[in-house]
Amino acid sequence: MTIAVAPASLRPLSRDQIDQRLKHCPRLPSLSTINSALRELLSADQRYTSQVAEIIRRDPSLTARLLRLVNSVYYGLSTPVNNIEEAVFYLGMRQIRQLVMVTPIIEDFQKLAGKAQFAWRDFWQHCIGTAILTREVIGTLRAPSDEVDYVAGLVHDVGKIAMAAACPEHFEAIHQAREISGESLMERERMILGLDHSEVGAMYLKSHNLPDALVDVARYHHTPELASHHTQLVAAVQIADLMVRHAGIGRSGEDAPVSADDWLNAKGWGILFPEQDGFENVDSEKALARAALKRSLERLPTILEGLV
Ligand SMILES: [Fe+2]
Ligand SMILES: [Fe+2]
């Protein structure tokens, strides 16, 4: 096995060090096109909550920060807010404008550091594609009741953004080492930083008081069999993530190819459609779900066009 190459001076960090950095980095950077679309809309004479929410729904960073804000301002709500439009409504335009004004732009941020560019726009597409498909996967089981399905898919890889913001040198080394070494992205993250993006994402969301369902999705989206809560949601996100990577839609930062077998036989299927004695139609339900999802996957590029 080859060893990931990182500068000799760059040591992995301890969990506590990473946690401290994440706590002090509440402002996740956002994509420039979305930030300018939102600024434009906010300075228009007339705008509606739904229009503002529609733009925020295309941005995992802004979504995470919006939910953080609404759940800390309205701390103590019996159920945490995980619906974007509701969050915009609760906070009001003034607060949203403030949120947008202080949002760093992810592209600038890397230019300043003089580093090679990570394909952020493609990464945003990966997140939105996963969000849309997560709803579709859940939709094969039941009518989606809540926007949490979409939001969970949108922020599942927020650990990569948090890592880029809180530990930029490590992030850079992880993605440069890609060309040279043969390990998976998660292995490289653990070797170079000390933790992988699923754990970093979960720690970020947890330390900023986001709903537990989102924390669980971030932590277990590559290992849904380890989750003990929100298992269907975690499983749906695993399948959605593999589907978009298989179809080559956007880029997740993990370039290892995903085969049709990988998503069709993902562990998540066993969670969504558990084998039950006496129920022989599980296999046919699963086959129907997979066929419906294949059709959704074909439509996805058209839906994503022009979104970011
Ligand atoms: Fe991931
Ligand atoms: Fe992903």
Side-chain angles (χ1 to χ4, degrees), residues 94-109:
R94 242 190 50 197
Q95 291 238 40
I96 301 286
R97 193 176 295 117
Q98 269 170 10
L99 173 81
V100 175
M101 290 315 237
V102 297
T103 296
I105 299 297
I106 205 154
E107 292 97 334
D108 289 350
F109 174 90

PDB file of all heavy atoms in Angstrom, residues 94-109:
ATOM      1  N   ARG A  94     -34.083  40.870   7.633  1.00  0.00           N
ATOM      2  CA  ARG A  94     -32.918  41.607   8.160  1.00  0.00           C
ATOM      3  C   ARG A  94     -31.819  40.667   8.625  1.00  0.00           C
ATOM      4  O   ARG A  94     -30.654  40.843   8.313  1.00  0.00           O
ATOM      5  CB  ARG A  94     -33.361  42.504   9.317  1.00  0.00           C
ATOM      6  CG  ARG A  94     -33.101  43.960   8.968  1.00  0.00           C
ATOM      7  CD  ARG A  94     -33.292  44.877  10.123  1.00  0.00           C
ATOM      8  NE  ARG A  94     -32.577  44.421  11.315  1.00  0.00           N
ATOM      9  CZ  ARG A  94     -32.835  44.872  12.536  1.00  0.00           C
ATOM     10  NH1 ARG A  94     -33.771  45.758  12.713  1.00  0.00           N
ATOM     11  NH2 ARG A  94     -32.153  44.428  13.567  1.00  0.00           N
ATOM     12  N   GLN A  95     -32.234  39.651   9.327  1.00  0.00           N
ATOM     13  CA  GLN A  95     -31.254  38.676   9.830  1.00  0.00           C
ATOM     14  C   GLN A  95     -30.628  37.886   8.678  1.00  0.00           C
ATOM     15  O   GLN A  95     -29.452  37.565   8.710  1.00  0.00           O
ATOM     16  CB  GLN A  95     -31.935  37.678  10.768  1.00  0.00           C
ATOM     17  CG  GLN A  95     -32.372  38.313  12.047  1.00  0.00           C
ATOM     18  CD  GLN A  95     -31.709  37.597  13.237  1.00  0.00           C
ATOM     19  OE1 GLN A  95     -30.541  37.242  13.180  1.00  0.00           O
ATOM     20  NE2 GLN A  95     -32.470  37.391  14.291  1.00  0.00           N
ATOM     21  N   ILE A  96     -31.440  37.586   7.669  1.00  0.00           N
ATOM     22  CA  ILE A  96     -30.911  36.831   6.533  1.00  0.00           C
ATOM     23  C   ILE A  96     -29.865  37.690   5.811  1.00  0.00           C
ATOM     24  O   ILE A  96     -28.806  37.216   5.411  1.00  0.00           O
ATOM     25  CB  ILE A  96     -32.027  36.437   5.528  1.00  0.00           C
ATOM     26  CG1 ILE A  96     -33.095  35.599   6.217  1.00  0.00           C
ATOM     27  CG2 ILE A  96     -31.451  35.734   4.309  1.00  0.00           C
ATOM     28  CD1 ILE A  96     -32.711  34.188   6.532  1.00  0.00           C
ATOM     29  N   ARG A  97     -30.198  38.992   5.668  1.00  0.00           N
ATOM     30  CA  ARG A  97     -29.241  39.880   4.992  1.00  0.00           C
ATOM     31  C   ARG A  97     -27.924  39.910   5.772  1.00  0.00           C
ATOM     32  O   ARG A  97     -26.849  39.821   5.200  1.00  0.00           O
ATOM     33  CB  ARG A  97     -29.827  41.285   4.852  1.00  0.00           C
ATOM     34  CG  ARG A  97     -29.009  42.139   3.881  1.00  0.00           C
ATOM     35  CD  ARG A  97     -29.598  43.508   3.623  1.00  0.00           C
ATOM     36  NE  ARG A  97     -30.879  43.467   2.955  1.00  0.00           N
ATOM     37  CZ  ARG A  97     -32.018  43.910   3.471  1.00  0.00           C
ATOM     38  NH1 ARG A  97     -32.054  44.418   4.688  1.00  0.00           N
ATOM     39  NH2 ARG A  97     -33.142  43.852   2.796  1.00  0.00           N
ATOM     40  N   GLN A  98     -28.037  40.002   7.083  1.00  0.00           N
ATOM     41  CA  GLN A  98     -26.818  39.995   7.904  1.00  0.00           C
ATOM     42  C   GLN A  98     -26.027  38.708   7.720  1.00  0.00           C
ATOM     43  O   GLN A  98     -24.807  38.728   7.583  1.00  0.00           O
ATOM     44  CB  GLN A  98     -27.181  40.143   9.375  1.00  0.00           C
ATOM     45  CG  GLN A  98     -27.201  41.590   9.802  1.00  0.00           C
ATOM     46  CD  GLN A  98     -27.800  41.757  11.177  1.00  0.00           C
ATOM     47  OE1 GLN A  98     -28.029  40.783  11.891  1.00  0.00           O
ATOM     48  NE2 GLN A  98     -28.071  42.998  11.539  1.00  0.00           N
ATOM     49  N   LEU A  99     -26.741  37.618   7.693  1.00  0.00           N
ATOM     50  CA  LEU A  99     -26.096  36.312   7.521  1.00  0.00           C
ATOM     51  C   LEU A  99     -25.317  36.274   6.205  1.00  0.00           C
ATOM     52  O   LEU A  99     -24.161  35.856   6.145  1.00  0.00           O
ATOM     53  CB  LEU A  99     -27.172  35.211   7.525  1.00  0.00           C
ATOM     54  CG  LEU A  99     -26.724  33.799   7.200  1.00  0.00           C
ATOM     55  CD1 LEU A  99     -26.108  33.149   8.428  1.00  0.00           C
ATOM     56  CD2 LEU A  99     -27.895  32.941   6.726  1.00  0.00           C
ATOM     57  N   VAL A 100     -25.945  36.790   5.146  1.00  0.00           N
ATOM     58  CA  VAL A 100     -25.320  36.752   3.830  1.00  0.00           C
ATOM     59  C   VAL A 100     -24.120  37.708   3.764  1.00  0.00           C
ATOM     60  O   VAL A 100     -23.088  37.397   3.188  1.00  0.00           O
ATOM     61  CB  VAL A 100     -26.362  37.084   2.737  1.00  0.00           C
ATOM     62  CG1 VAL A 100     -25.730  37.166   1.370  1.00  0.00           C
ATOM     63  CG2 VAL A 100     -27.459  36.029   2.742  1.00  0.00           C
ATOM     64  N   MET A 101     -24.273  38.871   4.396  1.00  0.00           N
ATOM     65  CA  MET A 101     -23.199  39.867   4.364  1.00  0.00           C
ATOM     66  C   MET A 101     -21.912  39.342   4.987  1.00  0.00           C
ATOM     67  O   MET A 101     -20.827  39.693   4.549  1.00  0.00           O
ATOM     68  CB  MET A 101     -23.624  41.135   5.141  1.00  0.00           C
ATOM     69  CG  MET A 101     -24.695  41.934   4.450  1.00  0.00           C
ATOM     70  SD  MET A 101     -24.382  42.135   2.702  1.00  0.00           S
ATOM     71  CE  MET A 101     -24.377  43.876   2.572  1.00  0.00           C
ATOM     72  N   VAL A 102     -22.021  38.542   6.013  1.00  0.00           N
ATOM     73  CA  VAL A 102     -20.810  38.080   6.698  1.00  0.00           C
ATOM     74  C   VAL A 102     -20.366  36.699   6.211  1.00  0.00           C
ATOM     75  O   VAL A 102     -19.525  36.064   6.822  1.00  0.00           O
ATOM     76  CB  VAL A 102     -20.986  38.064   8.235  1.00  0.00           C
ATOM     77  CG1 VAL A 102     -21.239  39.464   8.756  1.00  0.00           C
ATOM     78  CG2 VAL A 102     -22.101  37.121   8.656  1.00  0.00           C
ATOM     79  N   THR A 103     -20.944  36.263   5.100  1.00  0.00           N
ATOM     80  CA  THR A 103     -20.574  34.938   4.595  1.00  0.00           C
ATOM     81  C   THR A 103     -19.315  35.018   3.749  1.00  0.00           C
ATOM     82  O   THR A 103     -19.285  35.732   2.749  1.00  0.00           O
ATOM     83  CB  THR A 103     -21.718  34.375   3.719  1.00  0.00           C
ATOM     84  OG1 THR A 103     -22.857  34.201   4.546  1.00  0.00           O
ATOM     85  CG2 THR A 103     -21.340  33.047   3.106  1.00  0.00           C
ATOM     86  N   PRO A 104     -18.257  34.322   4.126  1.00  0.00           N
ATOM     87  CA  PRO A 104     -17.083  34.315   3.249  1.00  0.00           C
ATOM     88  C   PRO A 104     -17.362  33.501   1.979  1.00  0.00           C
ATOM     89  O   PRO A 104     -18.224  32.626   1.980  1.00  0.00           O
ATOM     90  CB  PRO A 104     -16.004  33.645   4.098  1.00  0.00           C
ATOM     91  CG  PRO A 104     -16.678  33.062   5.280  1.00  0.00           C
ATOM     92  CD  PRO A 104     -18.105  33.498   5.311  1.00  0.00           C
ATOM     93  N   ILE A 105     -16.654  33.832   0.928  1.00  0.00           N
ATOM     94  CA  ILE A 105     -16.842  33.140  -0.351  1.00  0.00           C
ATOM     95  C   ILE A 105     -15.764  32.067  -0.478  1.00  0.00           C
ATOM     96  O   ILE A 105     -14.578  32.346  -0.302  1.00  0.00           O
ATOM     97  CB  ILE A 105     -16.689  34.143  -1.511  1.00  0.00           C
ATOM     98  CG1 ILE A 105     -17.741  35.240  -1.404  1.00  0.00           C
ATOM     99  CG2 ILE A 105     -16.769  33.436  -2.867  1.00  0.00           C
ATOM    100  CD1 ILE A 105     -19.163  34.744  -1.530  1.00  0.00           C
ATOM    101  N   ILE A 106     -16.191  30.888  -0.780  1.00  0.00           N
ATOM    102  CA  ILE A 106     -15.255  29.767  -0.737  1.00  0.00           C
ATOM    103  C   ILE A 106     -14.145  29.902  -1.784  1.00  0.00           C
ATOM    104  O   ILE A 106     -12.993  29.582  -1.525  1.00  0.00           O
ATOM    105  CB  ILE A 106     -16.002  28.416  -0.822  1.00  0.00           C
ATOM    106  CG1 ILE A 106     -15.159  27.326  -0.176  1.00  0.00           C
ATOM    107  CG2 ILE A 106     -16.417  28.057  -2.237  1.00  0.00           C
ATOM    108  CD1 ILE A 106     -15.927  26.160   0.363  1.00  0.00           C
ATOM    109  N   GLU A 107     -14.480  30.428  -2.939  1.00  0.00           N
ATOM    110  CA  GLU A 107     -13.465  30.553  -3.980  1.00  0.00           C
ATOM    111  C   GLU A 107     -12.380  31.573  -3.580  1.00  0.00           C
ATOM    112  O   GLU A 107     -11.199  31.331  -3.783  1.00  0.00           O
ATOM    113  CB  GLU A 107     -14.081  30.975  -5.322  1.00  0.00           C
ATOM    114  CG  GLU A 107     -14.973  29.921  -5.968  1.00  0.00           C
ATOM    115  CD  GLU A 107     -16.448  30.136  -5.671  1.00  0.00           C
ATOM    116  OE1 GLU A 107     -16.770  30.736  -4.627  1.00  0.00           O
ATOM    117  OE2 GLU A 107     -17.289  29.695  -6.472  1.00  0.00           O
ATOM    118  N   ASP A 108     -12.801  32.694  -2.953  1.00  0.00           N
ATOM    119  CA  ASP A 108     -11.842  33.747  -2.552  1.00  0.00           C
ATOM    120  C   ASP A 108     -10.865  33.214  -1.544  1.00  0.00           C
ATOM    121  O   ASP A 108      -9.678  33.486  -1.566  1.00  0.00           O
ATOM    122  CB  ASP A 108     -12.556  34.895  -1.817  1.00  0.00           C
ATOM    123  CG  ASP A 108     -13.397  35.683  -2.759  1.00  0.00           C
ATOM    124  OD1 ASP A 108     -13.274  35.460  -3.969  1.00  0.00           O
ATOM    125  OD2 ASP A 108     -14.199  36.502  -2.281  1.00  0.00           O
ATOM    126  N   PHE A 109     -11.416  32.506  -0.680  1.00  0.00           N
ATOM    127  CA  PHE A 109     -10.784  31.942   0.459  1.00  0.00           C
ATOM    128  C   PHE A 109      -9.598  31.061   0.022  1.00  0.00           C
ATOM    129  O   PHE A 109      -8.522  31.139   0.559  1.00  0.00           O
ATOM    130  CB  PHE A 109     -11.958  31.180   1.029  1.00  0.00           C
ATOM    131  CG  PHE A 109     -11.786  30.324   2.155  1.00  0.00           C
ATOM    132  CD1 PHE A 109     -11.952  30.859   3.410  1.00  0.00           C
ATOM    133  CD2 PHE A 109     -11.542  28.989   1.981  1.00  0.00           C
ATOM    134  CE1 PHE A 109     -11.885  30.033   4.484  1.00  0.00           C
ATOM    135  CE2 PHE A 109     -11.476  28.175   3.048  1.00  0.00           C
ATOM    136  CZ  PHE A 109     -11.645  28.689   4.317  1.00  0.00           C
TER     137      PHE A 109
END
